[in-house]
């Protein structure tokens, strides 16, 4: 490995800008863990190849998981220049599925072809990242069976309101 590449690799991994792939000589920039479908990434996605690769070599990205083996992408090819393939405006069109993440396959079309993966890299949904749902219990007003909380609330209101009729019904001497 070229010493200048090693120095660049050391600097970028310690700054948190780079992620290791399954191949020891291929690294890539970090991507968000959750992103919105058909929206550009916040920064350009780069693949760093620390092997002898000619300029102009095509690098392709494919995504998939157990449910969606071939997710749709836009702008998923780039050519190598100075051992870096830069993907401008990379967009994930296909959704990864509820609770699922896509794994990225990076294919370097060199001789021999090099393929590496970035497992469970990104979750793609229609609305993108959002705040977690509220975990507090609620009363379902559309349910046919009343919940304990709704019955308790009705009884509590009935017992707390002033009612002379209840007192009248309890007397048996009149």
């Amino acid at each position: 490995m070229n010493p200048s590449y090693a120095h660049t690799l050391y600097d970028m991994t310690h700054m948190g800008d780079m992620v290791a792939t399954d191949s020891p000589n291929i690294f890539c920039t970090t991507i968000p863990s959750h992103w919105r479908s058909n929206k550009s990434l916040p920064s350009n996605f780069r693949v760093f190849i620390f092997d002898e690769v000619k300029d102009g070599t095509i690098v392709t990205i494919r995504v998939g998981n157990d449910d969606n083996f071939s997710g749709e992408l836009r702008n998923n090819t780039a050519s190598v220049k100075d051992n870096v393939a830069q993907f401008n405006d990379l967009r994930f069109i296909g959704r990864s599925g509820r609770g699922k993440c896509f794994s990225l396959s990076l294919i370097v079309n060199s001789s021999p072809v090099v393929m590496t993966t970035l497992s469970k890299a990104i979750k793609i949904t229609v609305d993108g990242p959002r705040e977690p749902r509220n975990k507090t219990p609620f009363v379902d007003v559309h349910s046919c069976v009343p919940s304990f909380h709704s019955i308790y609330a009705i009884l509590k209101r009935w017992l707390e309101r002033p009612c002379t009729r209840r007192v009248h019904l309890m007397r048996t001497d009149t």
Side-chain angles (χ1 to χ4, degrees):
M1 183 184 294
N2 189 335
S4 64
Y5 292 147
H7 189 274
T8 304
L9 174 65
Y10 179 80
D11 287 346
M12 294 194 76
T13 54
H14 281 67
M15 289 188 298
D17 293 338
M18 217 181 321
V19 177
T21 63
D22 289 345
S23 175
N25 294 330
I26 298 178
F27 290 79
C28 62
T29 53
T30 57
I31 57 175
S33 60
H34 190 184
W35 201 246
R36 184 176 179 171
S37 176
N38 200 21
K39 185 177 177 188
S40 294
L41 291 175
S43 61
N44 291 337
F45 182 70
R46 293 183 185 99
V47 176
F48 299 90
I49 306 163
F50 295 101
D51 266 340
E52 293 299 322
V53 177
K54 294 179 184 176
D55 284 354
T57 302
I58 300 295
V59 177
T60 306
I61 298 177
R62 302 277 186 215
V63 293
N65 61 18
D66 295 338
D67 295 338
N68 187 357
F69 63 90
S70 181
E72 189 179 351
L73 291 169
R74 294 276 190 268
N75 308 318
N76 62 325
T77 58
S79 59
V80 174
K81 183 175 181 186
D82 297 327
N83 290 62
V84 177
Q86 181 169 320
F87 294 85
N88 299 321
D89 195 32
L90 178 65
R91 291 174 186 254
F92 297 86
I93 306 300
R95 296 181 295 274
S96 57
R98 184 176 295 242
K100 304 278 186 174
C101 289
F102 275 138
S103 293
L104 269 69
S105 296
L106 306 170
I107 303 155
V108 181
N109 294 317
S110 60
S111 180
V113 173
V114 179
M115 182 177 157
T116 184
T117 58
L118 192 60
S119 299
K120 296 183 179 177
I122 188 166
K123 180 179 178 180
I124 303 296
T125 55
V126 175
D127 51 359
R130 63 177 179 188
E131 294 294 321
R133 292 193 174 134
N134 194 357
K135 300 280 183 179
T136 58
F138 66 94
V139 177
D140 187 9
V141 294
H142 301 292
S143 175
C144 296
V145 180
S147 69
F148 170 76
H149 295 290
S150 61
I151 294 172
Y152 175 75
I154 292 169
L155 286 174
K156 185 177 176 185
R157 275 187 273 142
W158 186 73
L159 290 172
E160 287 177 350
R161 73 176 178 189
C163 182
T164 56
R165 183 175 173 196
R166 241 189 340 241
V167 175
H168 180 67
L169 291 176
M170 294 175 70
R171 291 188 188 165
T172 56
D173 58 340
T174 58

